[in-house]
Amino acid sequence: LVELRDRLIRVAISVGLVFGVLCFWPGIGPMYDLVAAPMTANLPPGTKLIATNVFSPFMVPLKITMMAGFLVVLPYVLYQLWAFVAPGLYSHEKKLVLPLVISSTILFFAGVAFCYFIVIPGLTKFIVAVTPTSVNAAPDIEQYFGTVLSLFLVFGIAFEVPIAVVVRARAGIVSIEQLKSFRGYFVVVAFIVAAIVTPPDVVSQLALAIPMCILYELGIWS
């Protein structure tokens, strides 16, 4: 418990330091503009996001900057997690720690990048396309931030599918043949999960389910 406390304190300090740096440069305003760019770039000309709460113009950019600080130190967070677990592992299992930390970080950021560059613009175009001409599509920034944060986490975690497959196979929990025979069931599970955790639109559901199926296959052949 003492070691866990110490590692959590290190993580909190690292996030706080990076958050403080980002607040000064580039600043909370530019950080918000960066996150909002995939949606604002695809809204009708002259349309901006709106703030219905008095403190939203300050609190939402602040929360986005804190999220960015956590993402920056994510490799360090994952290292602290694995370092805490490592003493309870066998020597051959410890050799997997560094590759798993690196691959987990890369896959998580790949999921976030896929969501930022592909999913959110596609979702925005879909919303604009189905919006009646009598309606002005100008989402609230708090709701947008909540949606974006949820999508970042969902896609970041979903892109960890190969890691989960490899770890289960290397640990002897399941065999490669069992994983191959579970393919069809995983496709169904992937589409069910996508329907539950993504917004109620076809674009984001397909954008999550299809990569999960591809990554599952990649995990089998890894």
Side-chain angles (χ1 to χ4, degrees), residues 15 19 22-23 60-71:
V15 173
F19 168 71
L22 292 177
C23 285
V60 172
L62 195 67
K63 292 176 182 178
I64 289 175
T65 306
M66 185 172 293
M67 178 188 71
F70 175 78
L71 290 177

Side-chain angles (χ1 to χ4, degrees), residues 88 118 134 195:
I118 304 297
S134 59

Side-chain angles (χ1 to χ4, degrees), residues 10 25 69 84-85 107 120 129 144 146 176 180 189 191 198 201:
R10 293 172 194 169
W25 187 88
F84 177 73
V85 176
L107 286 172
I120 297 177
Y144 174 71
I176 299 298
K180 290 180 179 179
V189 171
F191 276 89
T198 60
D201 68 282

Side-chain angles (χ1 to χ4, degrees), residues 48-213:
K48 297 181 179 180
L49 301 184
I50 62 173
T52 57
N53 189 293
V54 176
F55 298 102
S56 293
F58 171 72
M59 291 303 300
V60 172
L62 195 67
K63 292 176 182 178
I64 289 175
T65 306
M66 185 172 293
M67 178 188 71
F70 175 78
L71 290 177
V72 170
V73 301
L74 181 62
Y76 182 71
V77 174
L78 292 176
Y79 168 76
Q80 291 296 329
L81 175 63
W82 284 110
F84 177 73
V85 176
L89 302 177
Y90 293 106
S91 57
H92 67 280
E93 293 174 333
K94 291 181 181 179
K95 296 178 181 178
L96 295 174
V97 171
L98 184 60
L100 285 176
V101 170
I102 296 174
S103 56
S104 297
T105 303
I106 293 174
L107 286 172
F108 187 88
F109 280 118
V112 172
F114 180 78
C115 179
Y116 181 85
F117 291 106
I118 304 297
V119 178
I120 297 177
L123 178 60
T124 305
K125 292 177 181 178
F126 174 79
I127 293 173
V128 172
V130 300
T131 299
T133 55
S134 59
V135 177
N136 183 23
D140 178 66
I141 59 174
E142 283 191 279
Q143 294 181 344
Y144 174 71
F145 170 70
T147 301
V148 167
L149 179 59
S150 299
L151 287 176
F152 280 175
L153 291 176
V154 165
F155 278 86
I157 294 173
F159 270 57
E160 302 289 338
V161 168
I163 302 297
V165 172
V166 170
V167 169
R168 290 173 69 87
R170 294 290 179 88
I173 299 175
V174 293
S175 65
I176 299 298
E177 294 303 320
Q178 288 175 320
L179 291 171
K180 290 180 179 179
S181 64
F182 189 69
R183 266 197 201 104
Y185 298 102
F186 184 82
V187 172
V188 176
V189 171
F191 276 89
I192 292 175
V193 170
I196 295 173
V197 301
T198 60
D201 68 282
V202 178
V203 175
S204 56
Q205 291 174 9
L206 291 177
L208 179 61
I210 294 175
M212 284 180 67
C213 296

